[in-house]
């Protein structure tokens, strides 16, 4: 059974860079044709897609976040990562990693449990 | 403001059927057969319930069904059970990014 687990600091200061890693177990990032992605959910609000990545490194980002987002993959560690720069309080959210289908904007089939990141000084 | 419009809440009694709508445009829901639905219980991660408008992943009860007409997609839950009480989100493929609805809170009375 595929499992995903987010990890990273739970508190980030305004203007700094948020960094999270998603570790995949029960399957290999590089041996499948699936995309992998990040989604966030501000407290009490709805879901927002941040971006997707293929094991080859091809990336697709939400146009509203594109200038601040970098998603990368490390196939040797079976991990992919998110960096979001110049954060503000509006970036406070639960961040989820997920395995998508065969397209970068496909349905999200498997989800991590999520990690709350708070932006505050 | 979410890209897709869902009712804020719906309710039903055990055994009844309910339908949640998800309204978009010809650039998202109406333009592609790639609408998905997610169930989210409080404090938990979303769970995929329907993909490509009407397909159920393995393990999802057949009480859950999806459909689409024009720019509006729908999720129907028949034979409501207490454990169906949750938030439900629709999502659609677009050419620029996946977009979500604002979510619907389902209350089982």
């Amino acid at each position: 059974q595929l499992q995903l687990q987010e990890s990273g600091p739970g508190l980030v200061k305004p203007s700094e860079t948020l960094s999270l890693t998603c570790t995949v177990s029960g399957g290999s990032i590089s041996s499948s044709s699936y995309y992998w992605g990040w989604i966030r959910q501000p407290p009490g609000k709805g879901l927002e897609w941040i971006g997707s990545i293929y094991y080859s490194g091809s990336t697709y980002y939400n146009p509203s976040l594109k200038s601040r987002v970098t998603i990368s993959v490390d196939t040797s560690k079976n991990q992919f990562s998110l960096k979001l720069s110049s954060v503000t309080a509006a970036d406070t959210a639960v961040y989820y990693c997920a395995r998508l289908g065969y397209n970068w904007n496909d349905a999200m089939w498997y989800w991590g449990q999520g990690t709350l990141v708070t932006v505050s000084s | 403001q979410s890209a897709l419009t869902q009712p804020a809440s719906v309710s039903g009694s055990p055994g009844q059927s309910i339908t949640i709508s998800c309204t978009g445009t010809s650039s998202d829901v109406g333009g592609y057969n790639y609408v998905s639905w997610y169930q989210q219980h409080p404090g938990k991660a979303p769970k995929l319930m329907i993909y490509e408008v009407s397909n159920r992943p393995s393990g999802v009860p057949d009480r859950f069904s999806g459909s689409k007409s024009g720019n509006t997609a729908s999720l129907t839950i028949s034979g409501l059970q207490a454990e169906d009480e949750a938030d439900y989100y629709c999502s659609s493929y677009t050419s620029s990014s996946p977009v979500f609805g604002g979510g619907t809170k389902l209350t089982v009375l």
Side-chain angles (χ1 to χ4, degrees):
Chain A
Q1 176 75 350
L2 191 71
Q3 292 187 320
L4 298 92
Q5 178 70 56
E6 305 89 352
S7 59
L11 180 64
V12 180
K13 289 182 168 55
S15 80
E16 295 189 345
T17 296
L18 177 160
S19 295
L20 295 173
T21 295
C22 182
T23 300
V24 178
S25 58
S28 172
I29 283 181
S30 58
S31 66
S32 59
S33 300
Y34 300 115
Y35 280 80
W36 307 85
W38 289 95
I39 303 95
R40 69 180 182 178
Q41 184 173 35
K45 297 188 178 180
L47 300 164
E48 179 181 34
W49 174 76
I50 299 171
S52 302
I53 190 165
Y54 196 57
Y55 75 90
S56 64
S58 297
T59 53
Y60 301 84
Y61 299 136
N62 187 320
S64 68
L65 299 170
K66 187 174 183 177
S67 64
R68 298 193 293 130
V69 173
T70 302
I71 297 176
S72 59
V73 63
D74 186 337
T75 55
S76 67
K77 295 182 179 179
N78 222 29
Q79 296 175 333
F80 61 103
S81 299
L82 168 70
K83 291 188 185 299
L84 182 65
S85 64
S86 305
V87 297
T88 69
D91 295 309
T92 292
V94 175
Y95 285 76
Y96 295 100
C97 61
R99 196 218 79 186
L100 281 63
Y102 296 113
N103 296 300
W104 62 268
N105 50 7
D106 213 331
M108 293 112 193
W109 285 73
Y110 294 91
W111 295 67
Q113 65 184 29
T115 187
L116 175 63
V117 178
T118 301
V119 178
S120 175
S121 55
Chain B
Q1 184 174 358
S2 301
L4 307 178
T5 301
Q6 298 180 233
S9 62
V10 298
S11 62
S13 299
Q16 290 186 331
S17 295
I18 63 95
T19 296
I20 300 172
S21 62
C22 171
T23 301
T25 70
S26 58
S27 296
D28 39 63
V29 174
Y32 310 95
N33 287 323
Y34 287 99
V35 175
S36 49
W37 289 91
Y38 302 88
Q39 176 192 66
Q40 186 179 35
H41 288 109
K44 300 295 186 181
K47 174 186 177 183
L48 179 65
M49 304 301 284
I50 297 287
Y51 68 99
E52 294 175 7
V53 176
S54 60
N55 296 301
R56 282 186 309 276
S58 175
V60 173
D62 60 6
R63 303 185 294 105
F64 292 82
S65 62
S67 62
K68 190 186 84 166
S69 177
N71 294 337
T72 298
S74 299
L75 173 70
T76 298
I77 308 173
S78 59
L80 267 180
Q81 298 182 4
E83 60 261 35
D84 299 334
E85 184 163 295
D87 293 326
Y88 291 84
Y89 293 90
C90 63
S91 178
S92 176
Y93 175 111
T94 78
S95 60
S96 59
S97 68
V99 290
F100 288 94
T104 298
K105 181 176 181 57
L106 169 62
T107 300
V108 180
L109 302 170

